[in-house]
Amino acid sequence: MSDELALLAEAGAAAVVAAMATDLWQATRDGVLGLFRRDAPDSAAPVGARLDEGAALVRTSAAPDDVRRALAGIWARELHELLRRDPACRVPLARLTAEVDGAFASRRAAVVLEQNNTARDSGTVFAVQHGDIHTTGGAGGATRQDPDDGPQ
């Protein structure tokens, strides 16, 4: 059971720090505060202050992903302790994590689907998403340089 709680705490922490400095932040912050409020009503203010400090660090950092990685460990410990004290928080934390993850997944899918390339009048389109395409002259046209980038 402790491994299950640790995994849930890590997933929850990853979702929390991923949402920092995004438009998902306020709802995520409110969800986390609700969890801590269930455990100890007086803990909401200090937890809210720590969440806000972390979000400010992410927002102002030149390397926000590095800050998120550092904060993920801190919040994993905080959430694990919360789950140990109040195992009833498992379901709402799992729900919050799934909501944040789902919101980010739908955004990634939307980004992938936004590319539209059309060639007209005997034209040729060489397009790629999430990688590079290198072309050389001659009849062959495009030459694939990185086979790991997926289909062109």
Side-chain angles (χ1 to χ4, degrees):
M1 172 117 132
S2 182
D3 287 343
E4 176 190 336
L5 294 181
L7 290 173
L8 178 56
E10 289 171 12
V16 168
V17 300
M20 288 179 172
T22 71
D23 60 340
L24 299 173
W25 176 237
Q26 192 60 50
T28 304
R29 179 189 183 279
D30 292 346
V32 172
L33 287 179
L35 292 171
F36 280 90
R37 201 173 285 122
R38 288 170 54 132
D39 176 56
D42 295 339
S43 71
V47 169
R50 289 194 306 273
L51 286 167
D52 292 338
E53 288 169 10
L57 285 172
V58 170
R59 190 174 38 260
T60 60
S61 174
D65 289 337
D66 292 342
V67 174
R68 283 186 174 102
R69 275 190 286 281
L71 291 171
I74 294 166
W75 283 104
R77 283 190 300 279
E78 291 270 351
L79 292 171
H80 188 257
E81 284 302 311
L82 172 68
L83 293 171
R84 249 185 6 85
R85 289 189 310 269
D86 186 0
C89 287
R90 285 190 325 218
V91 171
L93 178 58
R95 187 178 312 119
L96 177 67
T97 301
E99 288 170 1
V100 172
D101 290 347
F104 282 119
S106 68
R107 289 176 183 191
R108 283 189 296 272
V111 169
V112 170
L113 298 175
E114 288 180 10
Q115 184 170 337
N116 183 8
N117 303 291
T118 305
R120 289 188 169 68
D121 300 324
S122 301
T124 304
V125 173
F126 296 99
V128 66
Q129 280 187 323
H130 311 295
D132 297 320
I133 189 168
H134 302 273
T135 60
T136 60
T143 303
R144 182 87 194 240
Q145 296 293 322
D146 187 355
D148 293 332
D149 281 342
Q152 300 296 315

